[in-house]
Each structure stands twice: as structure tokens, then as C-alpha cells.
């Protein structure tokens, strides 16, 4: 994804020590970033020559500190997977796709596939329930907030910008259910699953966002049957669209 100057939106495309069987929960913050970026490269979601967004945007999207991102990207550059270029036209670029599959952090991600499938099922259960309540309870302010999140996701030009709008949308659906005691468990499941998300091409993410818009339409008309069906398809599809369902 090509670099951007401060204040500009980055037009990106659109994701050490642990043994291969360690699992994501045993990875350090640095290795988790290595795993997510490395896996996106290994799956072909990021290709040679493409640039990553600025470190600050990557940090925000992956939920870690900027210093963690810098350490992870520097180490991937040391491994020859990335290339860090200084200067005004510099940035971080994918340098090699062949070595990514050998990264211990990438193998650890793949080793957690059963946990990812479990989290998808948990999120499906919670999200469909909350969507049912939202279809009954959502008011005009809820719909307005969801429409704004859809609009922001539509305007996003890379996976870092999209992620923030995506999170706001799904938490907005949960809040529109007006069952505050259920929002906490749902947020926890959502964030646990987000830890396994990797960078995706923005064109694909914009397609996903069209499902968000369809869900808002169903909530606006209080069509619980249609809304729940959309939510179920949207989340259950992760079984095949997340890395656990992709092969290279």
C-alpha cells in the first residue's frame, strides 16, 4: 500500500522466539504483529512492492503501540520479508513472499485454527442474538450512528482505516440492541477474533461493507428475520474468508 504524507489518507491495498506450536496466546506483542503481517504476505493479500500504511496507522488497526509495530516491521525487514525506506518518498514495502511461511509467528497463527473457528461460532451466536434485539429496539440515533460507520468504511482507502469503521459498526449494532449487559461479552468475543485478522485488500473489504449497509436497511425497517439472516451469513462466512479458510 503506497505511503502517504502526514494528514493524508494512505491508499493502501485492500494484515521471533515462539516455536511453531506455541499458539497466538503465547506470542509476544511484537511476534503477533509479525504473524499478522507475515500471514497476509504468505496468503498473497499483500504482494511484492506493495507498501504498508504508516506505522501509526498499523498500530491503531492492530491494537498495539507504535513502538511495537516499529520493532516488528524492522525485524521483518531484517528477515528480508519487508523493505524499510527512509526519506520523504519512503515507507515500508513488501520485499519477499517466499520466506513468510517459514516465520515461527506465521506457523503459530496457523496452529490456532481450531480456536479461530470456535471464536467465529461464539461471535455468530452473540451477534445474531444482538441483531434480533436491535431489529426490535433500534431508534433513529442508532440507525444514524450505523449509517455513519458504513459511510466511513466506504470512504476508507486501506485496511487500517477500514478496521476502525468496522469495529464501530459492529459495536453499534450491539448497542442498538439496548441490552447493555450483553455488550461486554460481545465486545470481548469481537476483540479476541480481531486479534487474528490480517490485512486484506480494500476492494474486498468494501464488498464486506455492502453487507453492513444491507443490515442497516433491515434494522431501519425492523425486519428481524432479514437482519438476523444477514448477520449470520456475514459472521459465519469468516470460517472460509479468514486465514483458516484460505490456502496459497
Amino acid at each position: 500500500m503506497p505511503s502517504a504524507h502526514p494528514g493524508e489518507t494512505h491508499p493502501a491495498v485492500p494484515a521471533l522466539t515462539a516455536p511453531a506450536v506455541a499458539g497466538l496466546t503465547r506470542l509476544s506483542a511484537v511476534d503477533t504483529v509479525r504473524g499478522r503481517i507475515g500471514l497476509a504476505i504468505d496468503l498473497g493479500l499483500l504482494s511484492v512492492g506493495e507498501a504498508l500504511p504508516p506505522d501509526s496507522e498499523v498500530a491503531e488497526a492492530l491494537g498495539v503501540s507504535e513502538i511495537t509495530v516499529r520493532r516488528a516491521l524492522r525485524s521483518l525487514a531484517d528477515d528480508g520479508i519487508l523493505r524499510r525506506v527512509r526519506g520523504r518518498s519512503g515507507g515500508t514495502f513488501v520485499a519477499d513472499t517466499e520466506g513468510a511461511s517459514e516465520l515461527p509467528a506465521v506457523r503459530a497463527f496457523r496452529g490456532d485454527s481450531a480456536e479461530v473457528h470456535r471464536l467465529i461460532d461464539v461471535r455468530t451466536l452473540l451477534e445474531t442474538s444482538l441483531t434480533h434485539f436491535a431489529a426490535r429496539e433500534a431508534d433513529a440515533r442508532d440507525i444514524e450512528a450505523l449509517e455513519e460507520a458504513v459511510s466511513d468504511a466506504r470512504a476508507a482507502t486501506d485496511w487500517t482505516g477500514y478496521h476502525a469503521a468496522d469495529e464501530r459498526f459492529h459495536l453499534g449494532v450491539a448497542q442498538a440492541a439496548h441490552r447493555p449487559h450483553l455488550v461486554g461479552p460481545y465486545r470481548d468475543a469481537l476483540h479476541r477474533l480481531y486479534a487474528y485478522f490480517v490485512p486484506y485488500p480494500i476492494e474486498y473489504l468494501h464488498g464486506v461493507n455492502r453487507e453492513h449497509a444491507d443490515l442497516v436497511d433491515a434494522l431501519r425497517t425492523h425486519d428481524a428475520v432479514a437482519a438476523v439472516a444477514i448477520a449470520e451469513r456475514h459472521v459465519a462466512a469468516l470460517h472460509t474468508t479468514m486465514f483458516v479458510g484460505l490456502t496459497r
Side-chain angles (χ1 to χ4, degrees):
M1 305 180 184
S3 61
H5 298 298
E8 296 179 353
T9 302
H10 187 280
V13 174
L16 293 173
T17 57
V21 296
L24 179 62
T25 55
R26 298 183 188 177
L27 292 178
S28 68
V30 170
D31 277 337
T32 299
V33 175
R34 284 169 54 88
R36 293 171 81 169
I37 299 297
L39 189 55
I41 294 170
D42 185 43
L43 291 171
L45 302 174
L46 296 172
S47 57
V48 171
E50 292 182 4
L52 273 64
D55 295 357
S56 59
E57 292 184 22
V58 175
E60 183 177 359
L62 301 189
V64 298
S65 69
E66 191 171 342
I67 192 168
T68 294
V69 167
R70 284 199 298 268
R71 287 173 177 169
L73 299 186
R74 273 200 306 264
S75 69
L76 286 170
D78 291 340
D79 291 336
I81 305 298
L82 298 177
R83 178 170 55 91
R84 302 273 273 178
V85 179
R86 294 181 180 275
R88 212 170 157 183
S89 60
T92 303
F93 302 85
V94 178
D96 174 43
T97 59
E98 298 302 318
S101 63
E102 298 305 314
L103 294 173
V106 169
R107 295 201 298 269
F109 262 74
R110 293 192 182 279
D112 266 12
S113 60
E115 172 64 5
V116 174
H117 285 300
R118 186 190 73 82
L119 287 170
I120 294 169
D121 286 340
V122 170
R123 180 181 163 187
T124 302
L125 177 64
L126 292 170
E127 192 150 335
T128 51
S129 298
L130 286 164
T131 299
H132 170 78
F133 288 125
R136 294 168 50 188
E137 306 288 347
D139 57 31
R141 284 186 298 180
D142 295 323
I143 298 301
E144 183 180 358
L146 292 173
E147 288 176 334
E148 184 177 317
V150 169
S151 178
D152 288 348
R154 187 181 298 119
T157 56
D158 59 42
W159 52 271
T160 57
Y162 181 88
H163 173 78
D166 179 79
E167 180 177 11
R168 207 164 77 247
F169 176 82
H170 286 291
L171 290 177
V173 173
Q175 290 157 358
H178 295 273
R179 298 294 192 281
H181 54 286
L182 296 179
V183 175
Y186 173 73
R187 181 187 290 110
D188 179 65
L190 183 68
H191 287 171
R192 286 177 182 270
L193 196 55
Y194 273 156
Y196 289 95
F197 276 93
V198 299
Y200 271 76
I202 191 60
E203 295 83 1
Y204 169 80
L205 296 174
H206 284 162
V208 172
N209 191 50
R210 285 192 284 273
E211 297 177 357
H212 293 170
D214 291 341
L215 180 54
V216 175
D217 288 341
L219 295 178
R220 185 186 296 105
T221 59
H222 302 287
D223 188 340
V225 173
V228 170
I230 293 167
E232 193 278 333
R233 288 196 306 271
H234 183 76
V235 182
L238 296 174
H239 284 297
T240 56
T241 59
M242 284 186 68
F243 73 87
V244 291
L246 299 177
T247 58
R248 179 177 168 84

